[in-house]
Amino acid sequence: MKDQPTSAPSAPSAPSNPSNPLDCSAVVYSVNRPVYDEEKLESQLHKKDKSLVTFRQRITHLLPVLSWLPSYPFKEYIFSDVVSGLSTGVVQLPQGLAYALLAAVPPVYGLYSSFYPVLLYTFFGTSRHVSVGTFAVISLMIGGVVVREAPDSKFYVQVNGSNMSAVLDTEARDAQRVQVAMVFTTITGIIQIVLGLLRFGFVAIYLSEPLVRGFTTAAAVHVVVSQLKYLLGVKTHRYSGALSVVYSLKAVFSQISETNIPTLLLGLSCLVFLYIVKDLNERFKKRLPIPIPGEIIVVIVSTGVTYGMSLSQLHQVDIVGHIPTGLRAPTLPDFSLASNLITDAFAVAIVGYSMGISLAKIFALKHGYTVDGNQEMLAYGLCNFISSFFQTFVVTCSMSRSLVQESTGGKTQVKTDESCHNVNISNLILRNRLDTQY
């Protein structure tokens, strides 16, 4: 007897519709899937990893320098890092002096701000290519707050009891402005530290590219307008708040007939030279081992010309003046000034971090490593908070210096340490000989 083929048991089917000839007895399946959110996925998929986190790993996460410095390939990277650090340092020195003017504080505080935060970022930062220090946009925002809290009008003193002979006490004004900048930097650092500990590093993704570009362009306009009076050599008040650009332009053009011709010629010569050097660096960047340091050349040559031709004494060309020797001892900020600074400090904290993390992610993607957004927020906060006790102002990364640092072959944060030591050496050696015109 032959075996008869048997059919597999049929699955339960839905009732057929006799009126529809195309309706076969379809199989009905019931699929139940759990719904996961990010927190549940983290707890399920990385439960083992979290349980194995050791104290050493936590310290390494807080101090990223411990993760790369012990395995630093000295022979392969040291030459590139030293060259990159030297190239960045010669750019950072004149930028620190110039951006201090934007922040409405004496130029020497730009040197301090180019040393302490840079050194601290070496230990706490995760990006290998950004150059931390003074930046035009942030300096301009600080300057607006500083001038608002310590305007010139508060520091006029009367001589011989006459209103007509009132003179501006620049020493008292500058001391007060430094105190405002210190407190402002301390508050900004605290805000960034708190946001970093609360893991608010994601806030940068909500700043759209058009917003950042528009903000940067507007800041560039403010920078140009704020420097016109220095280029022309005229004396005007510094304005802050709404329509400050309009008021500044009006004040400059109302005194344009008093333009100091030697100051204008020297300034235009420096601008033309810097433009030519930038063009040469761009055209021959593949042939040049390092970019031509146009900024430091301008500082040295203009210093020699100003001193040799006695431009300050004979033609009233403004100079930076005396640069105090060495570094200052830490001091406590005057927190009685903090009540009016919190809102502005929050804005500067977000803007500074957003600029830094955006540039850091670009370099990380290009060179194949990762940066931790929350750690970067914490790093900027620690740099600003700790450095504020040494009389610095708020810092972030600079696009121009970061490009120099990356294009000259920098590999790790060792070049950053080299850069800040260059600034320190310049501050110790040049002393009051660094009398240059801006």
Side-chain angles (χ1 to χ4, degrees):
M1 182 176 176
K2 295 182 178 180
D3 294 335
Q4 297 293 329
T6 59
S7 59
S10 60
S13 61
S16 61
N17 186 1
S19 61
N20 185 4
L22 300 178
D23 183 20
C24 300
S25 297
V27 179
V28 177
Y29 294 95
S30 177
V31 180
N32 295 318
R33 295 176 178 173
V35 178
Y36 288 96
D37 57 14
E38 184 178 359
E39 183 177 357
K40 192 170 183 179
L41 281 173
E42 287 285 342
S43 63
Q44 294 293 327
L45 299 178
H46 302 290
K47 186 175 181 180
K48 183 177 180 181
D49 295 339
K50 288 184 176 180
S51 64
L52 296 178
V53 173
T54 63
F55 176 77
R56 181 178 180 180
Q57 289 174 320
R58 294 182 184 275
I59 294 298
T60 303
H61 182 74
L62 179 63
L63 289 170
V65 66
L66 298 178
S67 64
W68 60 265
L69 187 59
S71 58
Y72 178 77
F74 188 86
K75 293 182 179 180
E76 298 177 20
Y77 286 177
I78 189 62
F79 179 75
S80 298
D81 282 341
V82 169
V83 171
S84 179
L86 290 172
S87 303
T88 307
V90 298
V91 176
Q92 194 160 21
L93 177 63
Q95 283 190 353
L97 294 170
Y99 292 161
L101 297 178
L102 293 180
V105 296
V108 67
Y109 295 95
L111 295 181
Y112 301 154
S113 301
S114 299
F115 175 70
Y116 293 108
V118 179
L119 183 61
L120 289 168
Y121 185 83
T122 304
F123 296 93
F124 297 105
T126 60
S127 176
R128 304 173 189 172
H129 294 91
V130 297
S131 175
V132 174
T134 57
F135 185 53
V137 175
I138 298 299
S139 298
L140 191 66
M141 296 176 71
I142 299 169
V145 176
V146 169
V147 172
R148 183 192 69 200
E149 297 298 319
D152 289 344
S153 57
K154 288 186 178 181
F155 299 95
Y156 279 102
V157 294
Q158 296 182 0
V159 180
N160 299 328
S162 173
N163 292 332
M164 298 299 294
S165 57
V167 295
L168 178 63
D169 187 352
T170 56
E171 185 175 348
R173 180 202 63 185
D174 290 344
Q176 181 69 7
R177 288 182 174 181
V178 169
Q179 282 297 320
V180 173
M182 283 180 61
V183 177
F184 187 80
T185 304
T186 305
I187 297 173
T188 302
I190 293 174
I191 292 173
Q192 290 176 327
I193 291 174
V194 172
L195 292 178
L197 293 176
L198 295 178
R199 308 192 71 79
F200 267 72
F202 66 89
V203 295
I205 66 176
Y206 294 102
L207 296 177
S208 63
E209 183 177 352
L211 174 64
V212 175
R213 288 182 179 273
F215 180 84
T216 306
T217 303
V221 173
H222 279 270
V223 171
V224 171
V225 172
S226 67
Q227 297 303 296
L228 279 178
K229 65 178 183 180
Y230 299 113
L231 180 63
L232 299 176
V234 298
K235 307 293 184 183
T236 65
H237 293 291
R238 178 163 180 166
Y239 299 92
S240 62
L243 300 178
S244 60
V245 171
V246 177
Y247 295 141
S248 298
L249 286 174
K250 181 181 178 181
V252 170
F253 287 121
S254 66
Q255 300 187 37
I256 198 169
S257 60
E258 301 177 8
T259 299
N260 188 306
I261 300 301
T263 299
L264 178 60
L265 293 177
L266 187 58
L268 290 177
S269 301
C270 293
L271 286 175
V272 171
F273 177 79
L274 288 174
Y275 179 81
I276 294 174
V277 169
K278 182 179 180 181
D279 186 65
L280 291 175
N281 284 333
E282 185 65 26
R283 288 189 180 186
F284 302 103
K285 61 181 179 181
K286 294 183 179 180
R287 301 181 183 179
L288 294 172
I290 61 172
I292 302 173
E295 291 84 356
I296 198 68
I297 293 175
V298 164
V299 170
I300 295 173
V301 174
S302 61
T303 299
V305 171
T306 303
Y307 177 77
M309 300 181 66
S310 302
L311 295 181
S312 177
Q313 293 81 10
L314 301 179
H315 301 283
Q316 290 73 51
V317 173
D318 290 335
I319 59 175
V320 170
H322 175 68
I323 301 293
T325 304
L327 302 173
R328 296 200 173 193
T331 59
L332 289 176
D334 184 4
F335 287 102
S336 63
L337 306 171
S339 58
N340 297 329
L341 306 177
I342 297 177
T343 303
D344 299 286
F346 188 85
V348 170
I350 298 299
V351 172
Y353 165 74
S354 300
M355 292 182 173
I357 193 63
S358 300
L359 200 58
K361 286 185 175 181
I362 291 174
F363 287 127
L365 182 63
K366 180 178 179 181
H367 294 276
Y369 63 93
T370 59
V371 292
D372 186 339
N374 295 309
Q375 180 62 28
E376 285 294 293
M377 177 77 86
L378 186 62
Y380 284 118
L382 290 170
C383 289
N384 286 318
F385 176 74
I386 298 175
S387 300
S388 67
F389 296 95
F390 296 91
Q391 302 182 353
T392 66
F393 52 88
V394 181
V395 299
T396 184
C397 79
S398 167
M399 181 176 295
S400 60
R401 292 197 308 271
S402 298
L403 290 174
V404 170
Q405 198 159 262
E406 190 258 351
S407 64
T408 51
K411 303 295 184 182
T412 64
Q413 289 92 322
V414 169
K415 65 190 177 309
T416 306
D417 191 51
E418 176 69 22
S419 175
C420 77
H421 282 303
N422 292 337
V423 175
N424 187 32
I425 291 172
S426 300
N427 187 27
L428 293 172
I429 295 178
L430 295 181
R431 297 187 177 187
N432 59 337
R433 295 181 183 275
L434 193 59
D435 295 341
T436 185
Q437 187 263 346
Y438 284 91

